[in-house]
Amino acid sequence: MNLKPKLLPVFVLGICSLANAQIINNGIIKITTNTNVFVQDEYTNDSSGNHVCDGNFYLNSNFVNNGTTSASSGTTYFKSATNNLLTLSGTSDNANFYNLEIDVTAADKKGVSVANNFALQVANAVHFKSGDLRLVGEAQLIQEHAGTDNNTAVSGKLLVDQQGTVSPFQYDYWSSPVTNGGMFSLSGGKFDGSDAVINAFNPTQILFNSGSPYNGLPSVLDGGGNVTTALTINTRWLYKYSRGSGSYAEWIALNGSSTLLPGEGYTMKGPNALTAKQNYVYYGLPNNGDYQFAITTGESILLGNPYPSALDAEKFLNDNISVVESLYFWVDGGSTSHVLSDYLGGYAIRNLTGGTPPSIASPLISGIGTSGTVTAPSQYVPIAKGFFVLAIGSGNVVFNNSQRYFKTESNRLVSQGSNDLDASNKYLRIGYEDPEGFHRQLLLGFMPNSSADLSYNPGYDAIQLMTREDDVFFIIDNNPNKQYAIQGVNGFSEFMEFPIGLVISEAGTHQLMLDAVENFTETVYLKDNLLNTTHDLTASNFEINLPAGDYLDRFSIVFQPAETLTTSNPELEQTLVYYNGENHIVVSKPSSLEVDSVDVYNMLGQHILSVSENLKNQNKILIPFTNSQGVYLVVINSKSSKKSTKILKY
């Protein structure tokens, strides 16, 4: 039954028209469960069209989606014995299927091509029966089901592009979005994509050499731009990283036939090509479903995005918040040598607060210097991107389909790399530059919808992976042994103070500056605790020439000038503020001191209490205080000055 096209079982609202050998849906088409519909010619779901497929929809030609699509069951078949290439495209830039099957059996078959910048969303499974599925450019495949991989294959694979460095001296960190028989190897799954535009379904397998010379070799192309000899990768630079504490010996050498698990990261240098970027094609079955990696507190591991779509770093971190707190991305700073001591580069960081660029020479940092090319990582990790994680607890690092997200690299909101979702957040980017021109950026985030406070908060505070000999970092919980590049807190108060550490190994001019602000309008000061002075970073950079040493308690980021922070009133200096253990804050002062108001803040910077009545002509002011136990900041305001005191409610 149902071997011929029938419209009776199909619930149709609107208009289906036939024009120029095309079928166009201008209304609503609903294909019900257990119903088969066959379309011989190109099918267009127009901008006003709503295509609902809960049954089986067979396409012999192209699918153009300019409207909306949905499916809760059934399968969409790209099935043709006459057309060797079928396309999926449209101005909607997406299509939603429940199941998808590729079954192209025509002579010189290719398969199905998904247009650039298009999101192919499959709720359940993809079945490769015959022919390949080609993601062109920045097209992505997203699967939404929970649990393990349920894709199947008889014949056919997925092809997806990604670009890397061309330099033979510079590393990329990779992670494959495909496998070949459940594992990935470069010799079976990574191909030369130099001619992908003209040979989208027929990439050439990359070549390998070992030993000297240690540089790779670029592709050889004919006059039509076709690869005649594939690029060569030197296996000397292929490594993965085992679980470990950071020893160099924990890097494990690979070769072209070494196998890697989905989500496992690896390193590779470029082929010495002359182009701006080297295009590669990953060719295999798409990774899909759940993957996990065991890790122990204090260990690090090189992982990466395992999917043929972007990975939402925020969702990934929230799913793993008891185990890891941040992602670390290697960024080369322009290395021109294979000698380890000559490597230039550092680790960009991403966590729930936002992202920071690596510490590299300042002209390369976006917004710093004159030729910025390096930005902070965005919330969305690109296809095939590798990254380190550091374990803050023991357990499993998990990947799952709920972490997948459609976001192209050209549209990842990477201008500053802060939280890409919550516009209520405020950010400060504190910069430091050493005499050699290396630039470090610290990120301070104020996020009213978070639970972060002034203490250490997993996921919101990020350790620097590599601290240079001359560097700067946040100090949290008065522990200078842990050096943070990112600190996140809930809300903002002008009374907040954020200690920073400065380590100096080289005499010369060291600068602290305000790189950028986001949604932040208050003045930012650098406080010198030794000199009891403040410098307005909003107005100008702070320059200082200090002897070599560790300055771990001298500097802080504050939001009031020195004259406000310090007490010039001798009577105010004599005032004592404490908690009496009986649900009262006590302000003991000289009778001659006129107090205008008393304000109380919690350590999130939130205003808790304000008292302005009956404060004059009293030696001892008792303020009822029944809040929960913890540390609070009490601010005494007089006409000409103010005094801040921390108290402990117990």
Side-chain angles (χ1 to χ4, degrees), residues 502-560:
L502 182 64
V503 293
I504 293 177
S505 67
E506 180 181 0
T509 300
H510 298 256
Q511 296 187 70
L512 288 158
M513 64 201 69
L514 193 60
D515 282 351
V517 298
E518 300 164 54
N519 300 329
F520 196 89
T521 57
E522 291 78 5
T523 303
V524 182
Y525 298 92
L526 179 71
K527 178 185 176 185
D528 188 326
N529 296 298
L530 177 64
L531 303 178
N532 199 27
T533 60
T534 53
H535 178 88
D536 184 353
L537 293 176
T538 309
S540 64
N541 295 352
F542 174 79
E543 296 185 357
I544 194 168
N545 197 323
L546 292 172
D550 296 345
Y551 300 87
L552 305 179
D553 57 3
R554 179 165 176 175
F555 300 104
S556 302
I557 299 298
V558 297
F559 307 97
Q560 299 180 87

Side-chain angles (χ1 to χ4, degrees), residues 250-313:
E250 289 158 351
W251 288 99
I252 299 173
L254 305 173
N255 56 50
S257 59
S258 300
T259 57
L260 296 160
L261 294 166
E264 203 170 8
Y266 67 96
T267 68
M268 192 177 86
K269 292 184 178 182
N272 203 20
L274 298 177
T275 53
K277 289 287 185 178
Q278 175 61 54
N279 190 61
Y280 298 96
V281 177
Y282 283 93
Y283 190 16
L285 295 181
N287 292 331
N288 169 46
D290 297 352
Y291 304 105
Q292 63 181 33
F293 295 85
I295 197 168
T296 301
T297 302
E299 291 182 334
S300 56
I301 187 172
L302 180 58
L303 301 174
N305 178 5
Y307 303 114
S309 67
L311 181 81
D312 186 343

Side-chain angles (χ1 to χ4, degrees), residues 188-204:
K190 195 165 187 175
F191 288 69
D192 190 339
S194 301
D195 60 352
V197 173
I198 57 177
N199 289 313
F201 284 83
N202 189 33
T204 305

Side-chain angles (χ1 to χ4, degrees), residues 307-356:
Y307 303 114
S309 67
L311 181 81
D312 186 343
E314 183 171 327
K315 182 63 168 64
F316 172 82
L317 287 169
N318 279 319
D319 287 347
N320 293 282
I321 200 64
S322 64
V323 183
V324 298
E325 62 179 10
S326 306
L327 309 182
Y328 297 86
F329 302 90
W330 172 258
V331 179
D332 194 279
S335 300
T336 57
S337 169
H338 292 305
V339 180
L340 179 61
S341 59
D342 293 336
Y343 286 177
L344 300 173
Y347 286 91
I349 308 173
R350 181 77 202 192
N351 71 353
L352 297 177
T353 298
T356 58

Side-chain angles (χ1 to χ4, degrees), residues 1 15 31 85 142 157 261 304 330 372 374 395-396 412 438 459 539-540 542 562 593:
M1 296 183 66
I15 300 172
I31 305 172
L85 175 62
I142 297 176
K157 296 177 181 178
L261 294 166
W330 172 258
V374 178
N396 291 318
R412 287 188 298 136
F438 280 82
S540 64
F542 174 79
L593 176 65

